Amino acid sequence: MNSSTHTHTTESTSGHQRRKAILVTGAGGELGHALIELLAQRGESNVVAVDIRELHPNIRAHCDNSFVGDICDHSLLERLLAMYEVDEVFHLAALLSTRGEFAPETAHQVNVVGTLNLLKLAAEQARSHGRSVKFIFPSSIAAYGLPSLEEKQRAKSVKEDQYLEPHTMYGINKLAGEHLGRYYQEHYRKLAKDRVIQAIDFRSIRFPGIMSAHTVPAGGTSDYGPEMVHAAAQGRPYACFVRPDSRISFMTMPEAVLALAQLAAAPKKNLTRCVYNVSGFSPTAADFQRCVKKYFPAADISFTPDLGRQSIIDSWPEDIDDSAARRDWDWKPTHTLESAFEQYLVPAIKARYAAHSSEPQL
Ligand code: SER
């Protein structure tokens, strides 16, 4: 445990002091890394991390404590609650869309049962400390399912309540997580006499593909974007697994974690929904290739579409309408595709591989 100071403590039922904490699950994943860095920059010293693997030491150093284990393991969550009073949850742990199609039942277990465990934990925390617990849940464009490529091209930018017939287990799981969150906020234990009203303050964002300069994704289907840039920066050839004309929305990782923090901080009275789209830019895979070649002219990029993964991308919308997020909590993207490459991806990726060429990737 690091030496961060804790001014807030409460007494547990067994009589010892429990410290207030922000719980981050999936802390070792891409979003987890970036969010924990952001929370540390903002002076949050009470982050408690959970991940299935040991955290990278740089991330671990920003946390008050970290627990290695499965979010489906009740004894792990109980151990955590014996030490901490959870005020806010960023539930980031998930098994992504490509991996989920190889193990759909495992995906359901992690993505839905795991989410249910965390919601229940949050509801019990709210009951025990008498305040609602904020529950921040990243959802995904995978929640959408366009029936055909023609319909996708016709629909262009979709609103939160359209086309909610996902084709992947991951998308179905994310949609289930959104509904579970809404249920725990609005209706949980509706018939119980000792019901706590609005124990959970549930807030969710449907993210597009996300590109980080510092980490590489694993097991997703939007991975071709970041993979292409990271391969070029390392001088490795890259065979893109979707057609050049494939188009979905993307954003940069700093924008994604800022969006999470911004939604978490928004006054509840301004929020007209539980789940919000956020969008960045909507390039084709060929646009990515063009940008990568501009900065890494020797990049060797080819296209070898994988029919299965292509069908997933073809079922996700070209763009998502984020007017509700803009209206309710002042969301606006920072980057266009060009500025994302010029101001964030290229400088940060070049610095990363220059500085850490001999280190394993996070
Ligand atoms: N990046 C995710 C995936 O590709 C989508 O949310 O599975």
Side-chain angles (χ1 to χ4, degrees):
M1 208 178 290
N2 70 22
S3 57
S4 50
T5 52
H6 303 277
T7 47
H8 304 292
T9 55
T10 58
E11 199 159 313
S12 77
T13 44
S14 58
H16 68 276
Q17 299 292 304
R18 292 190 308 158
R19 295 201 295 272
K20 292 196 180 207
I22 300 175
L23 175 60
V24 179
T25 72
E30 284 204 284
L31 264 175
H33 275 230
L35 178 71
I36 288 174
E37 301 263 9
L38 180 72
L39 293 174
Q41 279 163 23
R42 293 184 168 190
E44 297 286 3
S45 57
N46 58 340
V47 171
V48 172
V50 177
D51 201 275
I52 196 81
R53 291 176 305 264
E54 278 294 345
L55 293 187
H56 189 282
N58 294 350
I59 298 302
R60 174 67 188 79
H62 292 315
C63 301
D64 183 67
N65 204 346
S66 68
F67 291 78
V68 177
D70 188 337
I71 50 167
C72 294
D73 174 358
H74 292 278
S75 67
L76 173 93
L77 299 180
E78 273 161 25
R79 267 193 293 132
L80 193 152
L81 291 185
M83 297 169 68
Y84 294 96
E85 178 184 295
V86 174
D87 256 351
E88 191 165 352
V89 180
F90 287 87
H91 174 41
L92 315 180
L95 210 139
L96 298 184
S97 58
T98 288
R99 200 166 278 168
E101 289 313 298
F102 287 104
E105 292 77 18
T106 309
H108 175 87
Q109 196 62 25
V110 174
N111 295 346
V112 181
V113 180
T115 298
L116 193 70
N117 288 344
L118 268 301
L119 283 165
K120 181 159 183 274
L121 174 152
E124 282 167 4
Q125 287 293 287
R127 171 181 296 276
S128 93
H129 52 65
R131 291 184 308 278
S132 88
V133 169
K134 251 181 217 172
F135 195 101
I136 314 299
F137 180 66
S139 186
S140 163
I141 47 164
Y144 296 107
L146 281 296
S148 66
L149 195 51
E150 295 69 42
E151 184 70 16
K152 166 171 170 155
Q153 285 159 352
R154 207 188 55 72
K156 300 222 178 306
S157 180
V158 309
K159 288 192 187 294
E160 280 90 350
D161 300 321
Q162 295 180 290
Y163 298 109
L164 295 175
E165 290 183 0
H167 297 198
T168 62
M169 185 52 128
Y170 172 70
I172 289 166
N173 296 162
K174 283 294 182 189
L175 203 50
E178 295 176 7
H179 282 295
L180 287 171
R182 182 180 53 78
Y183 166 75
Y184 270 77
Q185 173 173 286
E186 302 293 339
H187 306 290
Y188 183 50
R189 300 177 77 242
K190 201 182 255 311
L191 304 182
K193 296 227 162 32
D194 61 344
R195 177 175 180 226
V196 177
I197 305 287
Q198 298 220 324
I200 309 278
D201 175 356
F202 180 78
R203 305 173 182 209
S204 178
I205 294 180
R206 282 199 199 129
F207 282 112
I210 302 177
M211 305 188 61
S212 170
H214 303 286
T215 53
V216 285
T221 316
S222 58
D223 295 6
Y224 61 90
E227 281 176 359
M228 202 184 281
V229 195
H230 281 268
Q234 293 170 284
R236 289 191 287 107
Y238 184 67
C240 180
F241 57 80
V242 293
R243 292 185 315 266
D245 66 310
S246 306
R247 189 193 293 279
I248 60 165
S249 176
F250 279 87
M251 70 174 30
T252 64
M253 184 59 84
E255 292 173 282
V257 289
L258 270 178
L260 283 177
Q262 203 179 333
L263 177 59
K268 186 72 171 169
K269 66 175 175 31
N270 294 355
L271 304 182
T272 57
R273 16 182 347 113
C274 289
V275 179
Y276 288 91
N277 282 344
V278 295
S279 183
F281 36 86
S282 274
T284 61
D287 291 330
F288 273 132
Q289 182 193 33
R290 177 177 51 77
C291 286
V292 170
K293 287 276 215 185
K294 176 172 169 190
Y295 294 99
F296 303 98
D300 175 0
I301 299 164
S302 56
F303 290 87
T304 316
D306 172 278
L307 288 182
R309 294 179 99 182
Q310 181 72 60
S311 76
I312 294 176
I313 292 296
D314 288 346
S315 77
W316 292 352
E318 284 193 354
D319 201 358
I320 49 180
D321 181 324
D322 59 6
S323 50
R326 290 174 188 254
R327 181 193 63 219
D328 288 0
W329 46 277
D330 290 332
W331 156 255
K332 56 176 178 316
T334 316
H335 286 301
T336 60
L337 173 67
E338 280 70 26
S339 78
F341 268 79
E342 188 187 330
Q343 293 165 21
Y344 167 64
L345 286 167
V346 172
I349 284 186
K350 282 189 170 166
R352 178 190 196 286
Y353 290 111
H356 305 289
S357 54
S358 57
E359 277 186 18
Q361 291 193 343
L362 291 178

